[in-house]
Amino acid sequence: MSQNDAFRALDRQECLRLLSKVPVGRVVYTRQALPAVLPINFSLDTDAAVLLCTSPDSDLVQAIDDVVVAFEADEFDAAARSGWSVVVTGRATVVTDPAEYERLSQTGPSSWMPMQDAAFIRIESEMVTGRELRGSRVTQ
């Protein structure tokens, strides 16, 4: 297998299909002028926006509301040296519309952390990129 055969770029639809298969990704944002990465569970909305659920008092809510962020999720098989990675880049907004909040309370992601109240964050999928690496087992 040549190097070019092992790597391929993924189109938007394939990226979204793969994202829907995994429960956890990482939101990449700026905190106090420094890069920050936070693992978080998520789901995809019907319009392909990434949905996060967190505490309304979290630093994340304050740091990313109305800011462009990146969100990355992946899946890898180290033994086979294969896997994929998808990055969604877009504006993050805290859901404030009561009807939308109620809908997401029923259908959106639930936080893995116990909490009284929840804040839902939408990351618009303005730019979606992905890549797949199809490796092979190494023998020695």
Side-chain angles (χ1 to χ4, degrees), residues 38-77:
L38 180 70
I40 190 166
N41 65 298
F42 74 100
S43 67
L44 290 180
D45 206 351
T46 56
D47 64 353
V50 174
L51 298 172
L52 312 177
C53 180
T54 189
S55 167
D57 300 325
S58 74
D59 292 339
L60 180 66
V61 169
Q62 296 171 13
I64 71 172
D65 188 25
D66 203 33
V67 173
V68 174
V69 300
F71 183 84
E72 188 270 346
D74 53 48
E75 189 173 73
F76 292 98
D77 178 340

Side-chain angles (χ1 to χ4, degrees), residues 4 6 9 17 21 28 37 39 45 52 54 57 63 77 80 85 90 92 106 120 125 131 137 139:
N4 289 340
R17 185 187 71 75
K21 291 175 42 174
V28 181
V37 179
D45 206 351
L52 312 177
T54 189
D57 300 325
D77 178 340
S85 173
Q106 301 300 314
F120 291 101
S125 59
R131 59 189 189 166
R137 295 189 192 279
T139 57

Side-chain angles (χ1 to χ4, degrees), residues 23-126:
V24 176
R26 287 159 291 286
V27 62
V28 181
Y29 62 104
T30 302
R31 181 177 53 212
Q32 299 176 347
L34 296 172
V37 179
L38 180 70
I40 190 166
N41 65 298
F42 74 100
S43 67
L44 290 180
D45 206 351
T46 56
D47 64 353
V50 174
L51 298 172
L52 312 177
C53 180
T54 189
S55 167
D57 300 325
S58 74
D59 292 339
L60 180 66
V61 169
Q62 296 171 13
I64 71 172
D65 188 25
D66 203 33
V67 173
V68 174
V69 300
F71 183 84
E72 188 270 346
D74 53 48
E75 189 173 73
F76 292 98
D77 178 340
R81 296 186 176 191
S82 65
W84 57 265
S85 173
V86 171
V87 176
V88 173
T89 305
R91 184 162 305 276
T93 54
V94 176
V95 173
T96 57
D97 177 71
E100 181 71 356
Y101 184 89
E102 182 61 29
R103 181 182 75 84
L104 294 178
S105 294
Q106 301 300 314
T107 63
S110 58
S111 176
W112 288 7
M113 299 292 295
M115 66 178 77
Q116 293 277 349
D117 296 317
F120 291 101
I121 299 169
R122 291 178 58 83
I123 302 172
E124 299 302 328
S125 59
E126 296 169 19

Side-chain angles (χ1 to χ4, degrees), residues 4-20:
N4 289 340
D5 293 338
F7 172 84
R8 75 177 175 106
L10 303 171
D11 66 27
R12 180 183 176 91
Q13 287 308 109
E14 180 73 358
C15 288
L16 295 173
R17 185 187 71 75
L18 290 169
L19 277 179
S20 71

